[in-house]
Amino acid sequence: MTQGEQGRDRMGRAAVHYAVVDGDVAGLRELLAGGADPDASDAAGWTPLHFAGQVQDPLAAEVLLAAGASVDAGAATRPCGGRCSTTGVIPRRFVCC
């Protein structure tokens, strides 16, 4: 993971995104305890909680939610503006875009 000056890679992902994808719950806890943003959005608007859902890691999701992660974070930056997860077009448990 090559990161720029602000701790983000070229896709806008922070260490918390990678901790989730790697299944590193201990590292995730450490990052959050150190002040990492549980709602950090990448360039596509995806948050660590989106990644936890994608990789089907309920423990990571639980840790993120306990740290204050919002279930609606990143919605405004998605192409649909978050509407697809609230209008019943598709079930909320699926990421639409």
Side-chain angles (χ1 to χ4, degrees), residues 29-64:
R29 284 188 175 116
E30 186 175 324
L31 289 166
L32 294 168
D37 182 3
D39 287 328
S41 294
D42 68 8
W46 284 57
T47 67
L49 191 56
H50 289 121
F51 281 84
Q54 175 110 20
V55 299
Q56 300 179 15
D57 189 338
L59 184 55
E62 186 176 311
V63 168
L64 289 162

Side-chain angles (χ1 to χ4, degrees), residues 6-53:
Q6 298 159 348
R8 302 283 184 130
D9 68 8
R10 63 183 172 80
M11 294 176 286
R13 295 178 182 154
V16 289
H17 291 96
Y18 287 99
V20 171
V21 170
D22 293 342
D24 184 5
V25 175
L28 177 62
R29 284 188 175 116
E30 186 175 324
L31 289 166
L32 294 168
D37 182 3
D39 287 328
S41 294
D42 68 8
W46 284 57
T47 67
L49 191 56
H50 289 121
F51 281 84

Side-chain angles (χ1 to χ4, degrees), residues 38-39 45 47 49-50 61 64-66 68-76 78 82 85-86 92-95:
D39 287 328
T47 67
L49 191 56
H50 289 121
L64 289 162
L65 291 168
S70 170
V71 295
D72 295 320
R78 294 196 312 256
S85 63
T86 60
R92 185 175 189 80
R93 69 181 179 274
F94 296 109
V95 177

